[in-house]
Amino acid sequence: MVRHGNTGDQEARSILGGLHHFDDSTPLAAQLAEDARRRIALEGKTFPRPPETRILTVANQKGGVGKTTTTVNLAAALATGGLQVLVIDNDPQGNASTALGIDHHAGTPSTYDVLIDDAPFADVIQRCPDVDNLYCAPATIDLSGAEIELVSMVARENRLRNAIAALLAGQSDEQRYDYIFIDCPPSLGLLTVNAFVAAREVLIPIQSEYYALEGLSQLLRNIELIRGHLNPTLHVSTILLTMFDKRTNLSRQVADEVHTHFPSQTLEVSIPRSVRISEAPSYGQTVLTYDPGSTGALAYRAAAQEIASRAEPAGADPSAQPQPTEAHRTEDVHD
C-alpha cells in the first residue's frame, strides 16, 4: 500500500496551516492550496466496503479519453484505501496490464483463456507488485482473435459474466473483491458486450472536449440496447470528466453540459491534464505509485473516495441513480 513519507505530510500541514494567509488569486496558488487540503483529507483514509462486490465496466467508444488510465488509477486508489480490487484487462492492447506492472507477454495465462478455454479466473489473476490489495487478470495479444472465436460459441455474450460469478462464488465474505473493474476496447464488439453483460454498473470517462459529447449519446443508446436484451440491471452509475483544463472555456462548457444532463451520475471531482499521469504507464506504474503527491494522484484518490461513498445498499433499485457527494473539482496544473 502506498503511504506518504513524513516529509510530505509535514509539508502538507505547513501549507494547509497557512492557507488563510495564502494568496490563491492565481491558478497555481489555488491548486497548491487545494492539493494541500486533499492531501490532509485523504491521509490514512480507509474507504467503506460495499455490501456486495461492485462490478464496473469502464467504457467509451471514443479512444483517447483516459479510459484505461482511469481504470488503473481508480483501482489503485481504492486498493490504497484498504479495499480488495481486481482489474480485468479485456482490451487486446493490454495497456491496463502494462500500467499495473503485470506480465502479459504472449503465452501468459490471460483473459483470453477465461473467455475461450473456460479457464478459471483464479488461474490467471496476478498480484500487482506495487500496490497491496490490487490484482489483475491480464490481457495478451491472443485476445485480439477472441472476437472471431466467440462468434460461434453458445451463449457468447455471457462468457465473462459466468466466469466472474464462478470466481466470486468461491470466495468468502472476508476474501471477496470489493470492486472489479473491467477495461474495454474502444469499440462495441463481443469483448465489450461481454463486459456490459458481466457488470451492473458502467463508468464512463469523458474527455473535456466537444467531440466527447458527440460519442456519448451513441454509447448511451448501446447501453440501453444491452439493458433491454441482455442485462436489465445494467446502468450508468458514474461519469468522470478527464483531461480537464479549468483555464479554458471549452472545458468549463463541456463540464457544465455533462453536469446539467447527468447531475447524479457525474462525479464532482474531475481529473486534470497532468504530465505525471501520462508518464506513469511508461514506468509500469499508476500515478499513485509514480508520484503519489502529484495533483493527478490526489485527484484520482478523491474520485475514488467519492465512488466509494456512493456504494449502493444491497437490493437497491438500479434505476435510482446516486446523488453526488461534497467534493472539490480539481484545478488544472501541469505537474
Side-chain angles (χ1 to χ4, degrees), residues 4 12 20 23 59 82 108 114 127 144 186 197-198 260 270 277 279 325:
H4 302 299
H20 58 285
D23 177 12
T108 302
V114 173
R127 183 189 296 270
S144 59
V197 173
T260 297
S270 54
I277 291 175
E279 287 176 346
T325 57

Side-chain angles (χ1 to χ4, degrees), residues 89 97 102-114 117 119-126 136-140 142:
D89 194 347
S97 305
I102 301 295
D103 183 20
H104 62 107
H105 66 268
T108 302
S110 67
T111 308
Y112 171 86
D113 300 285
V114 173
D117 297 329
F121 261 121
D123 291 350
V124 308
I125 290 172
Q126 299 182 40
C136 177
T140 64
D142 298 331

Side-chain angles (χ1 to χ4, degrees), residues 246-306:
K246 194 171 184 179
R247 297 170 299 183
T248 67
N249 289 333
L250 179 59
S251 280
R252 292 194 189 96
Q253 289 168 2
V254 171
D256 289 343
E257 284 283 321
V258 174
H259 277 278
T260 297
H261 289 92
F262 307 98
S264 60
Q265 296 97 327
T266 306
L267 297 184
E268 289 300 319
V269 176
S270 54
I271 308 301
R273 286 191 180 274
S274 167
V275 174
R276 294 292 183 263
I277 291 175
S278 302
E279 287 176 346
S282 65
Y283 293 89
Q285 297 183 58
T286 67
V287 72
L288 276 80
T289 55
Y290 177 67
D291 192 350
S294 66
T295 298
L298 292 170
Y300 271 116
R301 291 180 66 199
Q305 182 181 30
E306 190 174 353

Side-chain angles (χ1 to χ4, degrees), residues 233-252:
T233 66
L234 186 69
H235 65 289
V236 177
S237 66
T238 310
I239 294 175
L240 176 64
L241 289 163
T242 62
M243 305 181 196
F244 185 76
D245 186 346
K246 194 171 184 179
R247 297 170 299 183
T248 67
N249 289 333
L250 179 59
S251 280
R252 292 194 189 96

Side-chain angles (χ1 to χ4, degrees), residues 1-4 45-46 78-83 130-133 289:
M1 188 178 295
V2 180
R3 300 187 188 279
H4 302 299
K45 188 78 173 180
T46 57
L78 288 165
T80 301
L83 301 176
D130 298 317
V131 183
D132 292 342
N133 306 321
T289 55

Side-chain angles (χ1 to χ4, degrees), residues 124-203:
V124 308
I125 290 172
Q126 299 182 40
R127 183 189 296 270
C128 178
D130 298 317
V131 183
D132 292 342
N133 306 321
L134 181 57
Y135 302 83
C136 177
T140 64
I141 193 63
D142 298 331
L143 196 58
S144 59
E147 295 271 6
I148 298 173
E149 296 181 65
L150 283 168
V151 169
S152 60
M153 290 188 168
V154 176
R156 60 193 181 190
E157 300 91 354
N158 295 292
R159 308 276 299 176
L160 186 58
R161 176 168 65 180
N162 294 340
I164 292 174
L167 172 68
L168 296 178
Q171 295 181 318
S172 66
D173 185 64
E174 293 76 18
Q175 297 172 324
R176 72 169 168 87
Y177 294 110
D178 298 301
Y179 286 82
I180 296 177
F181 289 91
I182 308 174
D183 188 37
C184 300
S187 62
L188 192 69
L190 280 172
L191 290 176
T192 302
V193 170
N194 262 270
F196 281 146
V197 173
R200 188 169 184 267
E201 303 178 51
V202 180
L203 188 158

